[in-house]
């Protein structure tokens, strides 16, 4: 059974949440106005996958972390989006709190 990427659905969801059309998103990312809508449509229909730099630009325009596009569940997507809004200090504090709760984490120092 083939595994389907959550990317196309997450991209569309984030775009709609931001109130943008495919054309508007593409143009804000710096794409040519004549091809922006078609390219975004191909990404949302999973006919093509963008490279990392393109995903990074999408994430910046849409205000989500790149990791958001790969979340398999709605809960994971919401958590990732919320984490992306935190400052570095807030992230470190949250990680320390999770460690106290017994959540697994890397052995590296915070």
């Amino acid at each position: 059974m083939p595994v389907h990427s959550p990317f196309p659905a997450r991209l569309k969801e984030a775009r709609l949440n931001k109130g943008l059309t495919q054309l508007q998103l593409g143009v804000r990312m710096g794409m040519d106005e004549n091809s922006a809508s078609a390219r975004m449509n191909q990404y949302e229909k999973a006919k093509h996958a963008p490279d990392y730099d393109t995903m990074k630009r999408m994430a910046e325009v849409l205000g989500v972390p790149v990791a958001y596009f790969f979340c398999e569940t709605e809960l994971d997507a919401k958590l990732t989006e919320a984490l992306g809004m935190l400052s570095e200090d807030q992230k470190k504090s949250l990680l320390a709190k999770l460690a106290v709760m017994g959540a697994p984490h890397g052995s590296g120092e915070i």
Side-chain angles (χ1 to χ4, degrees), residues 1 12 14 19 22-25 27 30-31 36 41 52 55 57 66 68 73 81 86 88 92-93 97-98:
M1 177 184 280
K12 184 174 183 177
Q22 291 174 338
L23 174 64
Q24 290 168 327
L25 175 57
V27 169
M31 292 179 182
N41 186 271
Y52 183 80
M55 275 190 238
R57 287 196 320 269
V66 174
Y68 171 88
T73 68
E81 190 174 11
L86 299 177
E88 288 301 307
K92 289 176 183 178
S93 175
K97 289 175 187 175
L98 289 171

Side-chain angles (χ1 to χ4, degrees), residues 32-45:
D32 182 83
E33 195 169 317
N34 295 319
S35 63
S37 183
R39 280 184 63 190
M40 298 311 305
N41 186 271
Q42 290 178 343
Y43 296 148
E44 287 184 12
K45 299 288 184 190

Side-chain angles (χ1 to χ4, degrees), residues 46-110:
K47 292 182 180 179
H48 294 286
D51 60 28
Y52 183 80
D53 289 337
T54 302
M55 275 190 238
K56 183 85 171 135
R57 287 196 320 269
M58 284 176 190
E60 288 169 1
V61 171
L62 295 171
V64 297
V66 174
Y68 171 88
F69 295 129
F70 300 99
C71 293
E72 294 180 351
T73 68
E74 190 63 27
L75 180 58
D76 287 345
K78 294 295 182 196
L79 284 168
T80 301
E81 190 174 11
L83 286 171
M85 291 185 224
L86 299 177
S87 70
E88 288 301 307
D89 286 342
Q90 290 171 318
K91 288 176 186 176
K92 289 176 183 178
S93 175
L94 179 58
L95 186 59
K97 289 175 187 175
L98 289 171
V100 170
M101 293 172 48
H105 56 81
S107 58
E109 220 172 276
I110 299 176

